[in-house]
Amino acid sequence: MTQEEKTKIEERIVDVLKTVYDPEIPVNIWDLGMIYKIDVKDDGNVDVDMTFTAPSCPAADFILEDVRSKIESLSEVTSANVNLVFEPAWDQSMMTEEARVELGFE
């Protein structure tokens, strides 16, 4: 798989991640800055590192499964491995400008 193909798959992954929401926050997880890494392998497997806005997120299981299933719904993806990480700790500076405006931080 070429780097260009991987980049196109990453762009499609970002598109589907923008449809995943924490039920308590009206902004998608991509714009919240909760995705730290997307690594597309040559065999179509994808590793994603993500975090939550709070370690004790009550919707954690739902969100993790939503991320995995939406990434795996892409035809170019063989499987998705979603790793939950807490380093670095999430903070508001990781949000896009649009997310900060939506949530009233700007």
Side-chain angles (χ1 to χ4, degrees):
M1 181 178 305
T2 67
Q3 187 55 48
E4 183 178 331
E5 290 169 324
K6 288 180 181 182
T7 300
K8 287 183 193 263
I9 294 169
E10 280 182 31
E11 289 169 358
R12 294 199 59 212
I13 290 170
V14 169
D15 288 343
V16 298
L17 291 175
K18 287 182 176 181
T19 69
V20 178
Y21 288 81
D22 180 324
E24 298 177 342
I25 305 173
V27 175
N28 68 70
I29 64 169
W30 178 260
D31 288 336
L32 284 171
M34 292 169 50
I35 303 299
Y36 288 171
K37 178 186 90 171
I38 300 171
D39 184 18
V40 178
K41 310 278 191 210
D42 287 335
D43 60 2
N45 291 317
V46 176
D47 287 328
V48 174
D49 286 354
M50 70 171 291
T51 194
F52 290 110
T53 57
S56 60
C57 175
D61 291 341
F62 168 78
I63 295 169
L64 288 169
E65 179 57 25
D66 202 21
V67 167
R68 188 193 61 73
S69 66
K70 286 186 175 177
I71 293 172
E72 287 183 347
S73 74
L74 299 173
S75 60
E76 305 90 345
V77 174
T78 306
S79 69
N81 180 38
V82 183
N83 303 302
L84 183 58
V85 298
F86 292 103
E87 293 292 327
W90 180 89
D91 67 52
Q92 295 174 3
S93 71
M94 296 173 173
M95 293 189 285
T96 63
E97 182 178 341
E98 293 84 4
R100 286 193 297 275
V101 168
E102 176 75 22
L103 295 173
F105 293 118
E106 301 234 343

